[in-house]
Protein backbone atom coordinates (compact mmCIF):
# COMPACT_ATOMS: atom_id res chain seq x y z
CA UNK A 1 0.00 0.00 0.00
CA UNK A 2 1.30 3.45 -0.86
CA UNK A 3 0.11 6.79 0.48
CA UNK A 4 1.17 9.94 -1.30
CA UNK A 5 1.31 12.78 1.15
CA UNK A 6 1.72 16.54 0.76
CA UNK A 7 2.67 18.77 3.63
CA UNK A 8 0.45 21.76 4.39
CA UNK A 9 2.67 22.93 7.23
CA UNK A 10 6.31 21.92 7.75
CA UNK A 11 7.02 18.37 8.80
CA UNK A 12 9.52 17.73 11.60
CA UNK A 13 10.72 14.17 12.15
CA UNK A 14 14.02 14.70 13.93
CA UNK A 15 17.32 13.65 12.49
CA UNK A 16 20.86 12.55 13.05
CA UNK A 17 22.02 16.01 14.13
CA UNK A 18 19.91 17.78 16.74
CA UNK A 19 17.99 20.72 15.27
CA UNK A 20 18.37 19.52 11.72
CA UNK A 21 16.09 17.39 9.56
CA UNK A 22 18.17 15.99 6.71
CA UNK A 23 15.31 13.88 5.34
CA UNK A 24 12.01 12.46 6.52
CA UNK A 25 12.65 9.88 9.21
CA UNK A 26 10.23 6.99 9.64
CA UNK A 27 10.78 6.93 13.40
CA UNK A 28 9.39 10.45 13.80
CA UNK A 29 6.30 9.49 11.83
CA UNK A 30 5.82 6.29 13.83
CA UNK A 31 6.02 8.14 17.14
CA UNK A 32 3.20 10.47 16.21
CA UNK A 33 1.06 7.69 14.73
CA UNK A 34 1.38 5.71 17.92
CA UNK A 35 0.49 8.74 20.03
CA UNK A 36 -2.75 9.37 18.11
CA UNK A 37 -3.60 5.68 18.05
CA UNK A 38 -3.25 5.49 21.83
CA UNK A 39 -5.59 8.46 22.25
CA UNK A 40 -8.15 6.90 19.88
CA UNK A 41 -7.97 3.43 21.43
CA UNK A 42 -8.48 4.84 24.93
CA UNK A 43 -11.36 6.92 23.62
CA UNK A 44 -12.96 3.79 22.19
CA UNK A 45 -12.66 1.90 25.46
CA UNK A 46 -9.67 -0.23 24.48
CA UNK A 47 -6.46 -0.70 26.43
CA UNK A 48 -3.38 1.42 25.81
CA UNK A 49 -0.44 1.19 28.15
CA UNK A 50 1.56 4.16 29.34
CA UNK A 51 4.44 4.15 26.84
CA UNK A 52 6.78 5.89 29.27
CA UNK A 53 6.56 2.88 31.55
CA UNK A 54 7.08 0.16 28.95
CA UNK A 55 4.67 -2.11 30.77
CA UNK A 56 3.72 -4.42 27.92
CA UNK A 57 5.80 -7.46 27.13
CA UNK A 58 4.81 -10.54 25.26
CA UNK A 59 4.76 -13.70 27.40
CA UNK A 60 4.77 -16.75 25.11
CA UNK A 61 3.85 -19.09 27.91
CA UNK A 62 0.75 -17.07 28.84
CA UNK A 63 -0.13 -16.94 25.18
CA UNK A 64 -0.04 -20.73 24.96
CA UNK A 65 -2.08 -21.11 28.12
CA UNK A 66 -4.75 -18.58 27.15
CA UNK A 67 -8.14 -20.17 26.59
CA UNK A 68 -9.51 -17.14 24.74
CA UNK A 69 -10.99 -17.91 21.35
CA UNK A 70 -10.15 -14.64 19.64
CA UNK A 71 -6.61 -13.65 18.86
CA UNK A 72 -6.85 -10.14 20.30
CA UNK A 73 -7.89 -11.46 23.72
CA UNK A 74 -5.16 -14.11 23.59
CA UNK A 75 -2.59 -11.42 22.95
CA UNK A 76 -4.03 -9.41 25.82
CA UNK A 77 -3.74 -12.45 28.06
CA UNK A 78 -0.13 -12.69 26.91
CA UNK A 79 0.50 -9.14 28.17
CA UNK A 80 -0.10 -6.84 25.19
CA UNK A 81 -2.45 -3.86 25.22
CA UNK A 82 -4.45 -3.02 22.08
CA UNK A 83 -1.85 -0.49 20.96
CA UNK A 84 1.21 -2.68 21.48
CA UNK A 85 -0.48 -5.46 19.52
CA UNK A 86 -0.16 -3.22 16.45
CA UNK A 87 2.88 -1.07 17.30
CA UNK A 88 4.98 -3.69 19.05
CA UNK A 89 6.41 -4.20 22.52
CA UNK A 90 9.14 -6.21 24.15
CA UNK A 91 9.05 -9.64 22.57
CA UNK A 92 6.41 -8.67 20.01
CA UNK A 93 7.22 -7.22 16.59
CA UNK A 94 5.42 -4.21 15.16
CA UNK A 95 2.77 -5.58 12.76
CA UNK A 96 3.64 -3.26 9.88
CA UNK A 97 6.56 -1.46 8.32
CA UNK A 98 6.72 2.09 7.00
CA UNK A 99 9.12 3.18 4.33
CA UNK A 100 9.54 6.67 2.89
CA UNK A 101 9.97 6.48 -0.87
CA UNK A 102 10.18 9.21 -3.49
CA UNK A 103 10.90 11.97 -0.99
CA UNK A 104 10.37 15.30 -2.81
CA UNK A 105 10.49 17.42 0.33
CA UNK A 106 12.96 20.22 1.04
CA UNK A 107 13.65 22.45 4.04
CA UNK A 108 11.29 25.42 4.21
CA UNK A 109 14.30 27.71 4.37
CA UNK A 110 18.02 27.12 3.98
CA UNK A 111 20.33 26.68 6.95
CA UNK A 112 19.40 25.56 10.42
CA UNK A 113 18.77 28.99 11.87
CA UNK A 114 15.40 28.91 13.62
CA UNK A 115 12.83 31.59 13.00
CA UNK A 116 12.36 33.67 16.15
CA UNK A 117 8.90 35.17 16.52
CA UNK A 118 8.37 37.55 19.44
CA UNK A 119 4.75 38.49 19.91
CA UNK A 120 4.06 41.82 21.62
CA UNK A 121 5.20 41.75 25.24
CA UNK A 122 7.50 38.73 24.90
CA UNK A 123 11.26 39.04 25.29
CA UNK A 124 12.51 35.82 23.78
CA UNK A 125 9.49 34.55 21.95
CA UNK A 126 9.24 31.24 20.11
CA UNK A 127 11.94 29.53 18.04
CA UNK A 128 10.77 27.63 14.98
CA UNK A 129 13.11 25.33 13.04
CA UNK A 130 12.71 25.05 9.24
CA UNK A 131 11.00 21.64 8.90
CA UNK A 132 10.41 20.12 5.47
CA UNK A 133 7.71 20.86 2.91
CA UNK A 134 6.73 19.00 -0.24
CA UNK A 135 5.39 15.63 -1.29
CA UNK A 136 6.51 12.13 -0.40
CA UNK A 137 5.20 8.61 -0.57
CA UNK A 138 4.89 6.21 2.32
CA UNK A 139 4.96 2.52 1.54
CA UNK A 140 3.16 0.44 4.17
CA UNK A 141 3.91 -3.25 4.46
CA UNK A 142 1.97 -5.59 6.70
CA UNK A 143 -0.93 -8.02 7.02
CA UNK A 144 -4.25 -6.79 5.66
CA UNK A 145 -5.83 -5.99 9.04
CA UNK A 146 -2.85 -4.01 10.29
CA UNK A 147 -2.67 -2.04 7.05
CA UNK A 148 -6.37 -1.16 7.40
CA UNK A 149 -5.84 0.15 10.92
CA UNK A 150 -2.96 2.22 9.61
CA UNK A 151 -4.97 3.65 6.71
CA UNK A 152 -7.83 4.63 8.99
CA UNK A 153 -5.35 6.18 11.40
CA UNK A 154 -3.72 8.19 8.60
CA UNK A 155 -7.16 9.45 7.59
CA UNK A 156 -7.75 10.72 11.12
CA UNK A 157 -4.31 12.34 11.17
CA UNK A 158 -5.04 14.05 7.87
CA UNK A 159 -8.40 15.36 9.04
CA UNK A 160 -7.75 16.41 12.64
CA UNK A 161 -4.29 15.33 13.79
CA UNK A 162 -0.70 15.86 12.75
CA UNK A 163 2.28 13.86 11.66
CA UNK A 164 5.79 13.95 13.12
CA UNK A 165 7.08 15.94 16.06
CA UNK A 166 6.40 19.47 17.34
CA UNK A 167 2.62 19.49 16.88
CA UNK A 168 2.41 22.17 19.59
CA UNK A 169 4.37 24.44 17.28
CA UNK A 170 2.06 23.68 14.39
CA UNK A 171 4.15 21.22 12.40
CA UNK A 172 2.89 18.16 10.53
CA UNK A 173 -0.44 19.06 8.92
CA UNK A 174 -0.75 16.86 5.85
CA UNK A 175 -3.04 16.05 2.93
CA UNK A 176 -3.28 12.53 1.48
CA UNK A 177 -3.16 12.91 -2.31
CA UNK A 178 -4.37 9.46 -3.32
CA UNK A 179 -7.09 8.82 -0.73
CA UNK A 180 -9.74 8.06 -3.36
CA UNK A 181 -7.56 5.26 -4.68
CA UNK A 182 -6.70 3.71 -1.31
CA UNK A 183 -9.96 4.16 0.60
CA UNK A 184 -11.53 1.13 -1.12
CA UNK A 185 -9.30 -1.00 1.07
CA UNK A 186 -11.44 0.09 4.02
CA UNK A 187 -14.78 -0.95 2.57
CA UNK A 188 -15.06 -3.99 4.82
CA UNK A 189 -13.48 -2.31 7.85
CA UNK A 190 -14.84 0.17 10.36
CA UNK A 191 -13.78 1.85 13.58
CA UNK A 192 -17.01 0.54 15.09
CA UNK A 193 -15.95 -3.04 14.44
CA UNK A 194 -12.47 -2.32 15.72
CA UNK A 195 -13.97 -0.79 18.87
CA UNK A 196 -16.01 -3.93 19.44
CA UNK A 197 -12.92 -6.07 19.23
CA UNK A 198 -11.21 -3.76 21.74
CA UNK A 199 -13.90 -4.94 24.13
CA UNK A 200 -15.31 -2.58 26.65
CA UNK A 201 -13.30 -1.44 29.60
CA UNK A 202 -15.95 1.17 30.33
CA UNK A 203 -13.71 2.61 33.01
CA UNK A 204 -13.45 6.36 33.35
CA UNK A 205 -10.72 7.95 31.21
CA UNK A 206 -7.33 8.13 32.88
CA UNK A 207 -6.75 11.87 33.25
CA UNK A 208 -2.99 11.41 32.92
CA UNK A 209 -3.01 9.78 29.50
CA UNK A 210 -4.35 11.23 26.24
CA UNK A 211 -7.88 10.07 25.52
CA UNK A 212 -9.82 11.61 22.64
CA UNK A 213 -12.90 11.93 24.84
CA UNK A 214 -11.03 14.75 26.56
CA UNK A 215 -9.94 16.59 23.44
CA UNK A 216 -11.34 19.48 21.49
CA UNK A 217 -10.48 20.14 17.83
CA UNK A 218 -11.05 23.24 15.78
CA UNK A 219 -10.66 24.36 12.18
CA UNK A 220 -10.61 28.07 11.48
CA UNK A 221 -11.10 29.38 7.93
CA UNK A 222 -10.59 32.90 6.73
CA UNK A 223 -10.18 35.05 3.62
CA UNK A 224 -7.14 37.30 3.93
CA UNK A 225 -7.77 40.86 2.72
CA UNK A 226 -4.62 40.78 0.56
CA UNK A 227 -1.38 38.87 0.00
CA UNK A 228 0.53 40.78 2.64
CA UNK A 229 -1.98 40.05 5.43
CA UNK A 230 0.57 38.14 7.47
CA UNK A 231 3.16 40.94 7.48
CA UNK A 232 0.96 43.20 9.64
CA UNK A 233 0.56 40.67 12.46
CA UNK A 234 1.95 42.02 15.72
CA UNK A 235 5.24 40.18 16.29
CA UNK A 236 6.08 39.66 12.62
CA UNK A 237 7.88 42.98 12.16
CA UNK A 238 11.30 41.42 12.71
CA UNK A 239 10.78 38.38 10.50
CA UNK A 240 9.12 39.79 7.38
CA UNK A 241 12.17 39.22 5.17
CA UNK A 242 12.59 35.65 6.42
CA UNK A 243 8.93 34.71 6.05
CA UNK A 244 8.23 36.37 2.71
CA UNK A 245 9.83 33.65 0.51
CA UNK A 246 7.41 31.01 1.78
CA UNK A 247 4.46 33.10 3.00
CA UNK A 248 2.27 32.10 0.04
CA UNK A 249 2.56 28.47 1.15
CA UNK A 250 2.42 28.64 4.96
CA UNK A 251 2.59 31.28 7.69
CA UNK A 252 3.89 30.59 11.22
CA UNK A 253 1.01 31.88 13.34
CA UNK A 254 1.20 29.60 16.43
CA UNK A 255 3.35 31.99 18.51
CA UNK A 256 0.99 34.93 18.15
CA UNK A 257 -2.12 32.84 18.75
CA UNK A 258 -0.69 31.12 21.81
CA UNK A 259 0.49 34.45 23.08
CA UNK A 260 -2.99 35.95 22.77
CA UNK A 261 -4.70 32.98 24.42
CA UNK A 262 -2.26 32.59 27.22
CA UNK A 263 -1.18 36.11 28.04
CA UNK A 264 -4.23 38.15 27.10
CA UNK A 265 -7.19 35.91 27.92
CA UNK A 266 -6.19 33.15 30.36
CA UNK A 267 -7.84 33.24 33.80
CA UNK A 268 -5.89 31.89 36.79
CA UNK A 269 -8.97 30.05 38.05
CA UNK A 270 -8.75 27.79 34.99
CA UNK A 271 -5.88 25.96 36.71
CA UNK A 272 -2.43 24.94 35.70
CA UNK A 273 -1.28 27.42 33.11
CA UNK A 274 2.28 26.08 32.87
CA UNK A 275 1.39 22.47 32.23
CA UNK A 276 -1.30 23.42 29.78
CA UNK A 277 0.76 25.79 27.65
CA UNK A 278 4.19 24.29 28.11
CA UNK A 279 7.11 26.62 28.48
CA UNK A 280 7.47 29.58 26.16
CA UNK A 281 10.46 29.62 23.84
CA UNK A 282 11.71 26.06 24.16
CA UNK A 283 8.68 23.81 23.93
CA UNK A 284 10.68 21.56 26.20
CA UNK A 285 7.69 21.02 28.42
CA UNK A 286 5.16 19.59 26.03
CA UNK A 287 2.06 21.75 26.19
CA UNK A 288 -1.45 20.48 25.62
CA UNK A 289 -2.46 22.84 22.84
CA UNK A 290 -1.49 22.23 19.22
CA UNK A 291 -2.23 24.93 16.68
CA UNK A 292 -1.05 24.80 13.10
CA UNK A 293 0.64 27.29 10.85
CA UNK A 294 -1.81 28.89 8.42
CA UNK A 295 -2.05 27.29 4.97
CA UNK A 296 -4.05 28.04 1.84
CA UNK A 297 -6.98 25.80 0.90
CA UNK A 298 -9.57 26.08 -1.82
CA UNK A 299 -11.57 29.22 -1.00
CA UNK A 300 -9.29 30.79 1.53
CA UNK A 301 -6.85 29.95 4.28
CA UNK A 302 -7.07 27.55 7.19
CA UNK A 303 -5.62 27.01 10.65
CA UNK A 304 -6.41 24.01 12.77
CA UNK A 305 -5.73 23.01 16.30
CA UNK A 306 -6.45 20.66 19.11
CA UNK A 307 -6.31 20.75 22.87
CA UNK A 308 -6.08 18.04 25.47
CA UNK A 309 -8.49 19.49 28.01
CA UNK A 310 -7.00 17.76 31.01
CA UNK A 311 -5.87 19.40 34.24
CA UNK A 312 -7.83 22.59 33.44
CA UNK A 313 -11.42 23.81 33.53
CA UNK A 314 -12.48 22.31 30.20
CA UNK A 315 -15.48 24.51 29.41
CA UNK A 316 -13.99 28.02 29.65
CA UNK A 317 -10.72 26.85 28.12
CA UNK A 318 -12.54 25.35 25.18
CA UNK A 319 -14.64 28.51 24.75
CA UNK A 320 -11.40 30.48 24.59
CA UNK A 321 -9.71 28.28 22.00
CA UNK A 322 -12.75 27.95 19.76
CA UNK A 323 -13.54 31.67 19.75
CA UNK A 324 -13.18 32.91 16.16
CA UNK A 325 -13.23 36.56 17.25
CA UNK A 326 -9.96 36.20 19.15
CA UNK A 327 -8.24 34.61 16.15
CA UNK A 328 -9.65 37.26 13.81
CA UNK A 329 -8.35 39.99 16.04
CA UNK A 330 -4.92 38.43 16.53
CA UNK A 331 -4.40 37.93 12.80
CA UNK A 332 -5.96 41.25 11.79
CA UNK A 333 -8.61 39.66 9.58
CA UNK A 334 -12.40 39.75 9.60
CA UNK A 335 -15.08 37.15 9.01
CA UNK A 336 -13.08 34.04 9.89
CA UNK A 337 -15.23 31.09 10.92
CA UNK A 338 -14.64 28.19 13.28
CA UNK A 339 -15.65 24.52 12.92
CA UNK A 340 -15.26 22.41 16.02
CA UNK A 341 -15.22 18.74 16.96
CA UNK A 342 -15.32 17.66 20.58
CA UNK A 343 -16.35 14.05 21.22
CA UNK A 344 -17.06 13.42 24.88
CA UNK A 345 -18.29 9.84 24.75
CA UNK A 346 -17.16 6.72 22.92
CA UNK A 347 -20.26 6.90 20.79
CA UNK A 348 -19.63 10.50 19.76
CA UNK A 349 -16.03 9.61 18.94
CA UNK A 350 -17.20 6.68 16.82
CA UNK A 351 -19.51 8.99 14.89
CA UNK A 352 -16.59 11.27 14.11
CA UNK A 353 -14.29 8.42 13.09
CA UNK A 354 -16.89 6.74 10.91
CA UNK A 355 -17.42 9.96 8.95
CA UNK A 356 -13.85 11.00 8.23
ZN1 LIG B 1 1.07 -1.66 25.54
Amino acid sequence: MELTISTLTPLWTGGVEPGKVDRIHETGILGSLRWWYEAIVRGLGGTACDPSKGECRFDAEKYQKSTATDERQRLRDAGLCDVCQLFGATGWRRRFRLEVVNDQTAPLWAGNQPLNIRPPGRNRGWFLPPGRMGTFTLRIHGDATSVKHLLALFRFVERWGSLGAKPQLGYGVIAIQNWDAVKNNLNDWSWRQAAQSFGNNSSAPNADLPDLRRFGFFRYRFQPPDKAWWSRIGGFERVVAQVRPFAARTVPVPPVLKNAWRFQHWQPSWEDEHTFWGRVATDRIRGKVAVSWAYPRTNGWEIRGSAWLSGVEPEPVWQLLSNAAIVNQTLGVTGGTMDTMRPQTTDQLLNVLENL
Side-chain angles (χ1 to χ4, degrees):
M1 187 66 52
E2 289 192 349
L3 283 179
T4 303
I5 290 173
S6 294
T7 61
L8 298 176
T9 74
L11 181 62
W12 183 266
T13 60
V16 184
E17 276 177 65
K20 184 177 178 180
V21 184
D22 49 345
R23 62 175 177 87
I24 294 175
H25 290 261
E26 288 85 352
T27 49
I29 291 175
L30 283 167
S32 60
L33 288 174
R34 178 170 182 134
W35 194 88
W36 284 114
Y37 193 60
E38 285 169 7
I40 291 173
V41 166
R42 290 190 195 103
L44 294 180
T47 56
C49 64
D50 180 348
S52 69
K53 297 194 175 130
E55 296 155 320
C56 287
R57 59 184 62 233
F58 179 69
D59 185 325
E61 202 170 317
K62 285 186 181 154
Y63 181 78
Q64 294 302 332
K65 283 184 181 156
S66 169
T67 54
T69 47
D70 77 293
E71 182 66 3
R72 186 167 283 272
Q73 186 56 46
R74 268 189 102 182
L75 290 170
R76 265 195 199 178
D77 293 344
L80 298 175
C81 72
D82 291 316
V83 173
C84 287
Q85 291 189 21
L86 181 61
F87 280 86
T90 306
W92 182 253
R93 218 161 38 82
R94 180 155 37 83
R95 294 293 102 181
F96 64 92
R97 204 155 60 77
L98 270 189
E99 193 185 352
V100 175
V101 296
N102 194 21
D103 183 349
Q104 304 287 331
T105 63
L108 189 52
W109 60 86
N112 298 323
Q113 197 64 24
L115 189 64
N116 178 211
I117 296 182
R118 286 181 215 163
R122 302 280 78 73
N123 292 325
R124 292 191 68 225
W126 279 257
F127 290 87
L128 306 172
R132 299 183 76 87
M133 293 279 287
T135 300
F136 60 99
T137 298
L138 280 174
R139 194 172 286 159
I140 305 171
H141 310 262
D143 63 273
T145 308
S146 302
V147 170
K148 284 171 191 179
H149 277 84
L150 257 286
L151 285 181
L153 181 57
F154 266 105
R155 184 61 167 173
F156 175 80
V157 164
E158 179 200 37
R159 287 295 142 123
W160 293 107
S162 59
L163 205 59
K166 302 192 186 294
Q168 299 86 348
L169 292 177
Y171 291 73
V173 177
I174 55 150
I176 301 171
Q177 296 300 321
N178 61 339
W179 183 253
D180 284 345
V182 297
K183 71 176 179 198
N184 297 329
N185 293 284
L186 286 175
N187 283 348
D188 61 343
W189 188 93
S190 74
W191 280 110
R192 202 168 285 278
Q193 275 175 351
Q196 276 158 9
S197 74
F198 292 153
N200 193 0
N201 289 340
S202 67
S203 51
N206 180 341
D208 297 329
L209 297 171
D211 178 320
L212 279 199
R213 289 171 295 183
R214 294 191 163 211
F215 274 67
F217 296 82
F218 65 84
R219 201 182 277 137
Y220 167 84
R221 293 196 169 110
F222 65 106
Q223 300 272 3
D226 54 68
K227 280 186 179 169
W229 64 275
W230 56 273
S231 65
R232 297 184 295 269
I233 296 172
F236 272 60
E237 302 83 1
R238 296 171 55 257
V239 296
V240 167
Q242 279 171 282
V243 173
R244 183 173 289 123
F246 59 79
R249 287 197 286 159
T250 189
V251 174
V253 296
V256 295
L257 290 174
K258 288 190 167 188
N259 187 67
W261 287 324
R262 177 174 179 178
F263 295 103
Q264 293 167 13
H265 296 278
W266 187 266
Q267 303 298 316
S269 62
W270 295 349
E271 315 278 340
D272 194 351
E273 182 199 347
H274 291 277
T275 323
F276 192 70
W277 291 106
R279 201 160 54 192
V280 180
T282 63
D283 201 45
R284 189 139 317 148
I285 297 176
R286 184 174 171 143
K288 290 178 173 163
V289 178
V291 58
S292 78
W293 297 31
Y295 46 88
R297 298 300 270 158
T298 335
N299 301 322
W301 282 63
E302 195 169 280
I303 293 165
R304 69 150 84 148
S306 63
W308 177 15
L309 299 165
S310 175
V312 290
E313 291 289 330
E315 298 310 326
V317 171
W318 179 238
Q319 290 307 312
L320 169 70
L321 298 174
S322 59
N323 184 341
I326 292 176
V327 183
N328 283 335
Q329 189 186 23
T330 307
L331 302 185
V333 303
T334 54
T337 57
M338 196 71 94
D339 285 330
T340 61
M341 188 272 274
R342 191 180 166 208
Q344 291 177 268
T345 65
T346 292
D347 219 53
Q348 288 168 357
L349 176 57
L350 274 174
N351 285 334
V352 170
L353 294 171
E354 292 283 275
N355 291 299
L356 288 175

